Amino acid sequence: MSASQRPSPISASVDFDVQGVQHGFLKLPISVDESAWGAVMIPITVVANGEGPTALLTGGNHGDEYEGITALMKLSNSLKAGDVRGRVIIVPMMNVPAAEAGKRTSPLDGGNLNRSFPGDPDGSVTSQIADYFTRVLVPMCDVALDLHSGGRTLDIVPFAAAHRLDDLEQERASLGGAVAFGAPYAMMMFELDATRLYDTAVESQGKTFVTTELGGGGTSTPASLAISERGVRNFLIHYGLIDGELESADEPMIYVDMPDASCYVQSEHAGLLELTVSLGEMVKQGDVLARIYDMTRTGTDPVEYRAQRDGVLIARRFPAKVGMGDTIAVVAEVVQSLERDSFSTPKPVGALSTPKPVE
Ligand SMILES: [Zn+2]
């Protein structure tokens, strides 16, 4: 953010200082063939009740990640002011043009919102949305939760995650929320490129931040939604915004770490993808994870892709057709704690577990 930047062109139809439940919009002016003096309308709900922290809950950062969108739409419709201590700001679809199109990125400008931070008030629509979050909504909050999943091209085991941060207290506070979320997995996450992420925009303002991946394939299931909805409630309970008991997952929680880029297996071939390991299964370094077949002919051997480290398969490409550079698989290290020397890992409500090895 620079002092020379003009105010955001986005205006909110809700008043963030008013008590009670408000449903409204963030309005971003656009001028297009169909609407000369139009606006992108981003739904927002604010539930405020007295003194307390402010939580910013977001989904639809990527438009085809429906687990978080659906969980937050349901929460927006059900959360009562009397349930809340402080303020809960809910934006179920940050990139609403992408969500309406059922796509990861915006059809208006091709923008990938989570690669557009900190944003620019004079940039594209997607960049203007990013800028509004960076300069208006994030500064209001104490804790932020951003709900992602694999979308149409990935399937991911359900996890909540924190990042390694320079500020150890901030890291610890974030990790506590990730564990309290109560997904089957909790993670210390390594990003391939963190510079333009929403995560980084939030964390760089010193805020407590939890991100998630909650399934994928461009849909939701009863199971993935139950995990998402329970996790959001647990998050709000953990940070003192609502009362209640933390609910744990049915199975013992698994801690995973992504220490470096060797977790990611990316394709150097195009063709037909055969995954040989299921999500949640343990692999050893060198194990075959996947085969890619040349779809133009029979009689040729497939190319094998192998695990670059021991661990558990936490993400896989969802479509069976694979192209150059696509992430095929992600293998995370199973750990007994996510601690640094300076503090011990928060314990889940339930027990800890390790996944079963491949048969
Ligand atoms: Zn996402």
Side-chain angles (χ1 to χ4, degrees), residues 60-65 104 112 114-115 146-151 156 211-213:
N61 190 335
H62 294 125
D64 63 350
E65 299 175 358
R104 181 173 181 81
N112 178 340
N114 213 28
R115 302 294 183 276
D146 193 29
L147 300 175
H148 288 259
S149 50
I156 308 178
T211 188
T212 65
E213 299 287 351

Side-chain angles (χ1 to χ4, degrees), residues 6 18 46 67 103 106 145 155 163 190 249 260 273 283-284:
R6 68 172 176 127
V18 164
V46 181
E67 296 86 344
K103 295 175 65 178
S106 174
L145 172 66
D155 196 10
H163 298 108
F190 175 83
D260 57 51
L273 177 64
V283 296
K284 293 280 185 203

Side-chain angles (χ1 to χ4, degrees), residues 3 54 59 90 164 169 186-187 222 246 267 295 315-316 325:
T54 293
I90 308 169
R164 291 276 180 239
E169 282 309 310
M187 174 173 311
L246 292 176
S267 179
M295 293 176 79
R316 57 155 292 174

Side-chain angles (χ1 to χ4, degrees), residues 179 182-186 247-255 336 346-354:
V179 172
Y185 295 75
E247 279 184 59
S248 63
D250 297 335
E251 299 293 321
M253 185 177 280
I254 298 164
Y255 285 164
Q336 289 305 306
K347 291 287 178 283
V349 176
L352 262 184
S353 176
T354 47

Side-chain angles (χ1 to χ4, degrees), residues 34-354:
E34 296 74 23
S35 185
W37 294 352
V40 172
M41 304 287 278
I42 303 171
I44 183 169
T45 293
V46 181
V47 183
N49 186 30
E51 293 295 309
T54 293
L56 176 57
L57 310 180
T58 50
N61 190 335
H62 294 125
D64 63 350
E65 299 175 358
Y66 296 101
E67 296 86 344
I69 293 171
T70 310
L72 292 184
M73 292 291 276
K74 292 177 73 174
L75 181 70
S76 299
N77 292 344
S78 63
L79 192 62
K80 308 271 191 298
D83 300 337
V84 169
R85 187 166 42 247
R87 182 170 56 174
V88 181
I89 301 171
I90 308 169
V91 183
M93 292 163 285
M94 297 170 83
N95 194 347
V96 78
E100 285 179 349
K103 295 175 65 178
R104 181 173 181 81
T105 59
S106 174
L108 299 180
D109 55 16
N112 178 340
L113 180 57
N114 213 28
R115 302 294 183 276
S116 301
F117 284 86
D120 180 352
D122 297 313
S124 67
V125 165
T126 305
S127 185
Q128 288 176 320
I129 294 171
D131 170 68
Y132 185 81
F133 275 84
T134 300
R135 292 195 296 154
V136 179
L137 290 183
V138 172
M140 288 184 198
C141 83
D142 301 289
V143 297
L145 172 66
D146 193 29
L147 300 175
H148 288 259
S149 50
R152 292 191 299 184
T153 66
L154 292 170
D155 196 10
I156 308 178
V157 298
F159 68 79
H163 298 108
R164 291 276 180 239
L165 300 171
D166 293 338
D167 181 334
L168 296 187
E169 282 309 310
Q170 184 190 10
E171 177 184 307
R172 183 180 197 182
S174 301
L175 183 59
V179 172
F181 189 92
Y185 295 75
M187 174 173 311
M188 189 54 74
M189 194 167 185
F190 175 83
E191 303 283 357
L192 280 176
D193 180 5
T195 44
R196 299 182 71 77
L197 297 181
Y198 176 59
D199 313 47
T200 305
V202 178
E203 288 161 352
S204 67
Q205 295 186 37
K207 310 295 184 178
T208 299
F209 180 74
V210 174
T211 188
T212 65
E213 299 287 351
L214 297 167
T219 189
S220 68
T221 65
S224 67
L225 260 188
I227 290 165
S228 306
E229 292 182 60
R230 182 184 67 211
V232 173
R233 283 195 63 79
N234 282 342
F235 178 90
L236 293 174
I237 292 168
H238 178 75
Y239 291 114
L241 284 120
I242 62 174
D243 288 326
E245 293 286 313
L246 292 176
E247 279 184 59
S248 63
D250 297 335
E251 299 293 321
M253 185 177 280
I254 298 164
Y255 285 164
V256 283
D257 194 0
M258 293 176 64
D260 57 51
S262 74
C263 297
Y264 291 84
V265 178
Q266 288 180 311
S267 179
E268 297 178 5
H269 299 83
L272 174 69
L273 177 64
E274 176 197 12
L275 256 290
T276 58
V277 177
S278 296
L279 282 180
E281 284 187 312
M282 292 292 291
V283 296
K284 293 280 185 203
Q285 183 177 9
D287 284 355
V288 175
L289 293 175
R291 303 185 185 99
I292 296 179
Y293 297 83
D294 181 347
M295 293 176 79
T296 65
R297 68 200 66 244
T298 57
T300 57
D301 290 331
V303 182
E304 291 183 335
Y305 280 80
R306 295 173 184 275
Q308 299 161 43
R309 54 164 52 248
D310 294 357
V312 58
L313 186 73
I314 59 142
R316 57 155 292 174
R317 179 167 172 81
F318 192 71
K321 272 197 72 176
V322 63
M324 294 285 288
D326 291 338
T327 289
I328 301 170
V330 182
V331 175
E333 184 180 351
V334 176
V335 294
Q336 289 305 306
S337 88
L338 299 170
E339 73 186 20
R340 295 214 205 199
D341 293 343
S342 56
F343 63 85
S344 58
T345 307
K347 291 287 178 283
V349 176
L352 262 184
S353 176
T354 47

